[in-house]
Amino acid sequence: MRAIEPWVEGPLTTFLTESSARLVLLMTSAGQVIAQHGFTRSLDVMAAAALGAGIVASTGELAKLLGPSPFGALVHQGTNQAVFLAPFTTPRGRWIGLVVYGKETSLGLIQLFFNRMVEDLSQSAPVEHARRAVLAENFEHELNASLRALFGR
Amino acid sequence: MTNFAQQVLEEVTRIPGVRGALLVSEDDGLIVAEALMEGVDGPAVAALAASLTGRLGRATRALGKAAPVLLHLQATGGAVFSAAGGEGLLLVAVTAADVNAGLVRLSLLDAAGRLS
């Protein structure tokens, strides 16, 4: 498991242990990766984050068209594995969780422990301090630092 | 089906000491119908019951035996009973520790039979 924000590791580890999920990706609503477990290639993580954020954004717009209340989680059930995608609010803003799980667990367990992880994240989040602006000349450095944190290289 | 299921659940909850009854999807561990007292965490009970039943079923099948008909998990503060209700559903009851377990079992098996 790799996380850009160290305080995310505790709640995420607990979630992984309790839920038996195969892959987990936590990202911002813009698709920036916060933490991941199970992915082995950076390209897969970046693509999954971008696609996941896109799906949440498009279903959010669909929900606005259909009614006043937004959708909660989205589940895509496959033959051998399923994808659970859910936005949630943290003290650091709106994040998205993408969870891939198999037959060794169930949607009920994933939902249950995901909700607990969201509570844990809210409690674990450090007090927000002024963030440094990411300038254009620092962008590549910041990106490489994030990739090193996520993949250890 | 929903009205019938609700009626069956309410019959189970009439037994003294039963704090709630649920109809749960066995594959997903999600609630299909429920009759729960306040304070009972339905989604957690549903997920736990489905997970336990699924794992126990896989274990007994690996031993060459049929899946269990009824599961009874006794804890210090209460108990959970789970019976196969047909069509991939489980009939689950959450009870106090001092409930008449025999009566709950009979009621659940009878209700599960009617749901099948």
Side-chain angles (χ1 to χ4, degrees), chain A residues 20 77 103-109 111-112 116, chain B residues 27-30 41 43-44 47-48 51 55 58:
Chain A
S20 302
Q77 184 70 53
K103 289 184 172 176
E104 59 276 13
T105 185
S106 68
L107 176 58
L109 285 175
Q111 274 187 337
L112 179 70
R116 289 191 183 168
Chain B
D27 286 342
D28 298 332
L30 298 177
D41 188 346
L48 170 74
S51 176
R55 281 166 196 249
R58 284 196 290 276

